[in-house]
Structure formats: C-alpha cells, structure tokens
C-alpha cells in the first residue's frame, strides 16, 4: 500500500539527509533491510494509532531543533558508584574520558569496530530484535536507528560482572543529532547491571537490543534529565531465555519530548520481566510517553509494568502498555499499573492499557488511575505540623515508591530517591 503523500515526502526528506555507515557484509545487509522497513512503513505522523497522543513532528524534521546546553549544578547521578564508566559526547564515543573497557566476565567494544569484522557474534543480534518487534506494532524510529547508527557499545557478558557498566551521555552542541545502537548479549548464567544517564544531544535516537540466555540476569537503570530542551526517542528490545530475569527502571525529569519504547519477548519457561518508570514533569513544554509491549510465549513466566507520572503546570504524560499472552503460555502472571498524579488542573495523563490473551490458565491484570493528591493524607500531615510544601513532597515520593521499589540494588534505589526529592525541592510551588 502506498504511503500518504505527506508521510512519504517527510520520510524521503529525512532519509535523504542520512547515509548508511560502511561495514562488513552482514552489517550492511542488516542496515539495508532496516532502511527498506523504514521506507515501507514511513516515519510516523500524529494520525498513526500508536502516535495519537504524541506529536512526532520534531523527531521527523530534517533540521534538528535547537536545544540549549544545560550546565548542571549537581553531581552526576551514579558518579560515586564503583563502576566501569563509558562516555559518549553528542553521540560519539570518548575513549580518553572513558575507563579501560577490560573487566572480568565481560567483553566490550564499539559498534563501529564490531560491524567492521567479517565474523562476529553481533551478526545474530544486530537489528534482529528490532526487526521482530515490527510485526506487532510499527516502530520506524527503531528501524531508522538500525539503518544509520554508527556508534554504540557491543557487550558480551560471560559471567557475573563485579560492578555496573555506566554509560554517560553528554550534550555539548546545541544542534547535535545523535544516533546510538547498543547490543548486549548475556551467556547462560551471566549477570550484569547497566546504568545510563545524561543529556545525550539536542535530538537523540537510541536503541538497545538485549539477549538474555537461560538463567542470566540483566539489570538496567537509567536517568533521563538534567537538560530542559531534549527531544529523545528510545527503544529497548529484549529476548528472555528459560529462568532468566530482565529488570529495567527509568527515571525521567525535564526535556521537551521523550518517547521510551520497550518491547520484550519471554521465550523461555520461568522467566521474569519487570519494567518500571518514575516520571516528573513541570510545564506545558514537557511531554513524556512510555509505550510498552510484552509478549509471553512460554510457561510460568511473570511480567510487571509499573509506571508513575507526576505532572504539574500543564505537563503531559502518556502510557501505552500491552501484555500479549500467546497460545500455550500457561501459568502466565502479568501485572500492569499506570498512574498519574496531577498537581493542578492543567496537566494531562493519557493511558491506553491492553491485554490480549490466548491461554486459559493465566493471572493477568491491568489498571490505570489519574487524580489529584489525597487531601485527607495532606490534611493529616499538616495537622501534625508538617509544612504544606514538605507534606506535598512526602506524598509525591510515596506515590512514586512502587516504581522505585523495582530496583533491586538498595544503594542505587536510594540515589534515585534522593534525586527525586531534589527535583521536587527545586520545583516547589
């Protein structure tokens, strides 16, 4: 079917401004396949079903919207954690500012180096999970990422890694347009924690494909914030083997437009997939969209989606979440909750929860609520001498607590809670 002219013209113009990176034959084939997918589906417009709540116009535009470089006044989150630190500046790997990539139980290299080799394990992962996700819902920005990303990390985890891999993104040019693609492959029984944070660019397109083998464990914690004019679209794609665990948590504050897509497939029995997010938005220019799709294709698997958004002064939050239980995926336990806390009458929380079930022995539930702060609880705290602003912050942190509880490492969870409290303190009133 031919694309509508407006959509086709916008797609053609955007793709014409980009070039496919050079690489080995297998990488070039994967990129060309992705480019074909983008051209066929077209870049999104507001009328597309899964973009009806979020306007993708500035993500599609050929010219990068300008974003002022933000000078943070606080220490970098996770900066005091014993970790292996990797730095990207405006989407380009900074070797001098990064740690030595050698660490027991893990192999790390740049995407450009991996895709230049004729033989590499990345051949079986690069663009594979992204391409498979397109059968459920079209994800053109993820396909565009596979086609054009020339930098990123290629990580193979062979054992239990002693400390987290911390990826920091810095933004130094007002019109930087960064595209990064990370690959993470965990061997059977391996375990790793990946941390992400930082303003990556004026416009950022990032994909991470994660293959979790039998009995392996993947922990992922990211903080999106520290810059006020960021526009970003991210894709996190995961495939889970038998008895494996995948846990991802995202904290988001600030930014003009953020779209986080998560697509997970539970292919092995007794696997666990937990995805959570805590979002805080202030102002009419703030728009945050979480779009999640989890497929159960094995027995006795568990998935959780826990998303909380605090919105004020006209901010908008979006949640689109789906659980698909395929035929034969018996004993599935699927849980989904999305909640919006509106601190004024001008903010908006838009939710589209979905369940699609083809097995008869499952326990699946979803819920979505939206409302103001509990006046009874606020009155209780104030009647005991707690100032109003402090009481509001306490109740807000309590509202976000269920999402933060999805972080297993208590030290990292405490740092996230501290950052949430700092943001609330800065935005009092």
């Amino acid at each position: 079917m031919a694309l509508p002219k407006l959509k086709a013209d916008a797609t053609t113009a955007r793709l014409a401004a980009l070039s496919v990176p050079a690489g080995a034959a297998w990488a070039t084939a994967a990129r060309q396949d992705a480019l074909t997918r983008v051209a066929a589906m077209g870049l999104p417009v507001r009328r597309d079903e899964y973009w009806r709540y979020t306007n993708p116009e500035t993500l599609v535009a050929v010219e990068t919207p300008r974003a002022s470089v933000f000078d943070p006044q606080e220490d970098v989150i996770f900066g005091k954690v014993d970790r292996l630190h990797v730095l990207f500046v405006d989407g380009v790997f900074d070797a001098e500012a990064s740690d030595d990539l050698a660490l027991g139980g893990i192999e790390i290299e740049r995407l450009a180096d991996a895709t230049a080799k004729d033989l590499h394990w990345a051949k079986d992962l690069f663009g594979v999970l992204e391409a498979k996700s397109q059968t459920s819902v079209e994800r053109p920005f993820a396909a565009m990422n596979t086609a054009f990303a020339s930098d990123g990390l290629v990580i193979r985890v062979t054992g239990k890694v002693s400390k987290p891999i911390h990826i920091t993104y810095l933004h130094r040019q007002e019109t930087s347009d960064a595209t990064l693609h990370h690959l993470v492959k965990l061997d059977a029984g391996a375990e790793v924690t990946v941390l992400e944070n930082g303003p990556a660019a004026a416009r950022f397109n990032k994909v991470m494909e994660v293959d979790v083998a039998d009995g392996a464990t993947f922990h992922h914690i990211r903080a999106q914030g520290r810059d006020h004019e960021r526009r970003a679209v991210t894709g996190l794609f995961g495939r889970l083997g038998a008895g494996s665990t995948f846990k991802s948590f995202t904290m988001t504050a600030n930014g003009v437009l953020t779209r986080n897509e998560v697509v997970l497939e539970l292919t092995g029995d007794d696997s666990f997939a937990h995805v959570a997010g805590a979002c805080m938005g202030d102002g009419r220019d703030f728009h945050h969209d979480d779009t999640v799709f989890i497929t159960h294709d094995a027995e006795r698997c568990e998935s959780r989606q826990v998303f909380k958004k605090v919105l004020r002064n006209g901010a908008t939050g979006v949640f689109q979440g789906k659980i698909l239980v395929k035929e034969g995926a018996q004993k599935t336990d699927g849980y989904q909750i999305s909640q919006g806390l509106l601190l004024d009458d001008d903010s908006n929380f838009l939710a589209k929860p979905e369940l699609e079930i083809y097995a008869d022995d499952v326990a699946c539930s979803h819920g979505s609520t939206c409302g103001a702060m509990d006046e009874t609880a606020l009155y209780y705290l104030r009647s005991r001498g707690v100032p109003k602003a402090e009481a509001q912050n306490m109740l807000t942190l309590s509202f976000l607590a269920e999402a933060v509880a999805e972080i297993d490492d208590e030290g990292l969870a405490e740092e996230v809670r501290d950052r949430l409290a700092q943001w609330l303190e800065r935005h009092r009133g």
Side-chain angles (χ1 to χ4, degrees), residues 375-388:
E375 291 295 333
T376 301
L378 182 61
Y379 175 80
Y380 176 87
L381 290 173
R382 296 199 66 195
S383 68
R384 279 150 181 80
V386 180
K388 182 178 180 180

Side-chain angles (χ1 to χ4, degrees), residues 232-251:
V233 56
T234 73
L236 178 59
F237 302 91
R239 178 172 58 196
L240 283 68
S244 66
T245 299
F246 183 111
K247 299 196 73 173
S248 177
F249 170 86
T250 300
M251 178 182 72

Side-chain angles (χ1 to χ4, degrees), residues 118-394:
D118 291 332
L119 296 175
H120 199 285
W121 62 261
K123 176 182 178 180
D124 297 324
L125 184 56
F126 180 54
V128 173
L129 302 185
E130 171 268 304
K132 190 170 185 180
S133 77
Q134 306 291 350
T135 60
S136 54
V137 175
E138 290 183 347
R139 306 178 195 281
F141 287 117
M144 188 171 75
N145 182 293
T146 300
F148 298 109
S150 60
D151 216 341
L153 295 182
V154 175
I155 301 173
R156 182 165 186 174
V157 188
T158 58
K160 293 191 176 182
V161 184
S162 60
K163 54 187 177 181
I165 311 304
H166 181 197
I167 308 172
T168 298
Y169 309 105
L170 289 186
H171 168 208
R172 290 180 178 164
Q173 297 180 16
E174 291 189 343
T175 57
S176 56
D177 194 359
T179 303
L180 290 176
H181 196 116
H182 303 312
L183 303 176
V184 184
K185 179 178 176 60
L186 287 86
D187 291 350
E191 183 173 353
V192 71
T193 297
V194 175
L195 309 175
E196 294 184 282
N197 77 280
R203 182 168 61 185
F204 189 36
N205 182 338
K206 188 206 70 182
V207 162
M208 180 181 290
E209 297 182 280
V210 185
D211 189 12
V212 189
D214 296 352
T217 301
F218 176 74
H219 294 283
H220 175 239
I221 304 170
R222 63 179 166 179
Q224 298 173 316
R226 300 171 62 84
D227 54 338
H228 298 283
E229 298 177 349
R230 174 198 68 247
R231 290 172 172 82
V233 56
T234 73
L236 178 59
F237 302 91
R239 178 172 58 196
L240 283 68
S244 66
T245 299
F246 183 111
K247 299 196 73 173
S248 177
F249 170 86
T250 300
M251 178 182 72
T252 303
N254 305 327
V256 174
L257 171 61
T258 306
R259 163 89 166 206
N260 294 326
E261 298 191 2
V262 180
V263 184
L264 304 178
E265 185 177 17
L266 288 73
T267 62
D269 296 341
D270 304 297
S271 54
F272 296 82
H274 292 195
V275 186
C279 162
M280 300 169 296
D282 189 348
R284 294 186 181 280
D285 290 336
F286 180 89
H287 187 104
H288 185 271
D289 181 336
D290 284 303
T291 296
V292 183
F293 196 114
I294 296 180
T295 299
H296 287 259
D297 197 13
E299 297 185 352
R300 300 180 303 279
C301 295
E302 175 185 299
S303 69
R304 288 173 58 85
Q305 301 175 41
V306 181
F307 288 87
K308 303 293 187 81
K309 300 180 190 288
V310 178
L311 307 167
R312 63 188 300 169
N313 294 328
T316 298
V318 176
F319 174 78
Q320 300 178 104
K322 183 168 184 176
I323 300 173
L324 169 62
V325 182
K326 290 189 174 182
E327 186 176 355
Q330 305 295 353
K331 304 294 183 181
T332 286
D333 183 356
Y335 173 76
Q336 179 193 98
I337 184 71
S338 60
Q339 295 179 313
L341 177 61
L342 306 183
L343 301 183
D344 56 45
D345 295 334
D346 296 327
S347 299
N348 296 283
F349 177 63
L350 308 170
K352 183 185 178 185
E354 296 179 85
L355 297 176
E356 188 173 346
I357 302 172
Y358 297 98
D360 55 14
D361 187 6
V362 303
C364 291
S365 64
H366 67 70
S368 183
T369 63
C370 175
M373 187 168 289
D374 187 334
E375 291 295 333
T376 301
L378 182 61
Y379 175 80
Y380 176 87
L381 290 173
R382 296 199 66 195
S383 68
R384 279 150 181 80
V386 180
K388 182 178 180 180
E390 185 176 341
Q392 290 174 329
N393 287 357
M394 291 173 63

